[in-house]
Amino acid sequence: MPALLAIDNVTRMFGGVVAARDIAFELQRGEIVSLIGPNGAGKTTLFNIITGFVKPSSGRVHFDGADITNLKPQQVAQRGIVRTFQITNVFSGLTVGENLRAAQYLRLTGPFWRTMLGLSDARDRQEAADRDAAELLRVVGLEHLRDETARNLAYGQLRLLEIAIGLAASPKILLLDEPAAGLNSEESARLVELLRWLCRERGITLLLVEHDMSVVMSVSDRIVVMNFGQKIAEGVPEVVKQDRRVIEAYLGASLDEDDGAANGMNADA
Ligand SMILES: Nc1ncnc2c1ncn2[C@@H]1O[C@H](COP(=O)(O)OP(=O)(O)OP(=O)(O)O)[C@@H](O)[C@H]1O
Ligand SMILES: [Mg+2]
């Protein structure tokens, strides 16, 4: 079985800066992979390349055997690669439920979905959307906040809403850019449970960029490490956290999840 996602020798220059240099790695179906590295390593750039927001200077991206390098972001999303953003893209003036409705709008109005679902009239579609929205809120644990305005949510709840918005697009791969940023340890632990559940019960493949090493080490099947635009290591958590180049990249900060110094990895936090 070919990889679900293959990054083939991708390079991206921004003026004189090499944001990504000759990066290659794969995602297998059902895996949880973390992309880590110090600030400016090129992680978000790689997310932007995978999701069509930025074109690589060279190299290709393949999804499910097809070359998606030159697709537009909307086309990439329609194929099932969906992302959340490092900076929130929730509409703060809308309620939680309305935010989900906005996320569902595109996929539910297209002729594709009408045919797929065999739904003939608007009311059936509306009911299906309501059921979906309720289920998504239940999955992320925000069902009690459906009618709350997004700007009133606690930060951790906002991050969960972002994940629900991503899920509303029925992703095959969900890319999460720093989902644990700003979460307390209890919220982080719940996030890890949610991500595992999505993978196990929904068959969603996950690629996350994350600075919180306790999250990364506990949730990842594999870790890809970048530094200054280059891939410097790849492997299972136990191996990666012992890797000399990885430890050096983090200025000697311990990568052990039991070690309080782990948070020192996020240099500007
Ligand atoms: N649109 C852009 N224009 C110019 N330079 C950019 C652009 N996007 C990224 N870069 C540069 O590319 C490099 C990689 O940036 P990127 O945002 O991918 O890093 P990152 O690993 O996501 O960092 P962080 O952990 O801080 O989010 C940085 O030097 C950054 O300044
Ligand atoms: Mg980033």
Side-chain angles (χ1 to χ4, degrees):
M1 184 97 77
L4 183 56
L5 184 76
I7 314 299
D8 300 329
N9 304 101
V10 161
T11 294
R12 171 67 206 209
M13 313 281 297
F14 287 112
V17 176
V18 190
R21 185 192 296 275
D22 210 20
I23 301 293
F25 68 88
E26 295 183 338
L27 289 189
Q28 306 299 330
R29 285 171 180 75
E31 265 193 314
I32 303 180
V33 175
S34 290
L35 187 57
I36 69 168
N39 296 117
K43 307 178 297 292
T44 296
T45 297
L46 218 53
F47 264 32
N48 287 333
I49 288 171
I50 292 168
T51 49
F53 287 89
V54 162
K55 295 298 161 209
S57 309
S58 63
R60 317 299 304 175
V61 180
H62 287 90
F63 174 62
D64 222 356
D67 189 332
I68 61 163
T69 318
N70 292 318
L71 296 188
K72 296 185 173 68
Q74 181 62 26
Q75 295 171 313
V76 174
Q78 277 162 355
R79 287 187 180 220
I81 303 179
V82 172
R83 71 178 295 185
T84 65
F85 288 84
Q86 190 168 357
I87 309 292
T88 179
N89 69 334
V90 167
F91 295 108
S92 63
L94 299 184
T95 66
V96 168
E98 286 164 348
N99 264 287
L100 274 185
R101 175 53 40 78
Q104 288 173 318
Y105 178 76
L106 263 180
R107 71 163 212 195
L108 283 165
T109 48
F112 171 75
W113 269 87
R114 227 164 299 159
T115 320
M116 275 271 295
L117 297 170
L119 300 178
S120 51
D121 66 50
R123 214 177 102 236
D124 287 349
R125 293 207 302 277
Q126 184 68 37
E127 283 172 6
D130 287 345
R131 274 199 307 277
D132 267 16
E135 162 74 359
L136 288 172
L137 289 179
R138 196 187 56 71
V139 162
V140 301
L142 293 179
E143 64 269 62
H144 58 297
L145 293 170
R146 189 191 67 183
D147 299 322
E148 189 62 70
T149 306
R151 74 164 61 85
N152 296 333
L153 297 186
Y155 189 75
Q157 295 168 333
L158 204 54
R159 305 307 312 243
L160 290 170
L161 176 57
E162 288 178 329
I163 293 177
I165 287 170
L167 293 173
S170 302
K172 294 194 177 85
I173 299 181
L174 185 61
L175 292 86
L176 301 162
D177 202 345
E178 302 198 26
L183 301 191
N184 63 36
S185 58
E186 191 187 319
E187 291 169 327
S188 295
R190 251 185 285 136
L191 175 72
V192 166
E193 284 311 309
L194 171 62
L195 298 183
R196 287 209 186 106
W197 186 90
L198 290 174
C199 183
R200 191 179 65 233
E201 301 296 327
R202 292 297 177 86
I204 298 174
T205 302
L206 296 171
L207 179 64
L208 56 152
V209 163
E210 186 49 64
H211 283 292
D212 182 329
M213 283 306 115
S214 64
V215 168
V216 168
M217 293 301 166
S218 63
V219 84
S220 309
D221 296 310
R222 279 188 307 124
I223 299 173
V224 173
V225 190
M226 291 180 72
N227 194 22
F228 293 115
Q230 288 186 282
K231 184 175 94 172
I232 60 167
E234 177 177 359
V236 298
E238 286 307 312
V239 172
V240 162
K241 71 179 172 190
Q242 317 272 2
D243 188 290
R244 183 183 52 79
R245 292 186 70 189
V246 176
I247 293 167
E248 278 169 10
Y250 284 109
L251 301 169
S254 169
L255 302 200
D256 200 303
E257 62 194 283
D258 301 325
D259 191 316
N263 285 334
M265 292 183 68
N266 191 356
D268 65 358

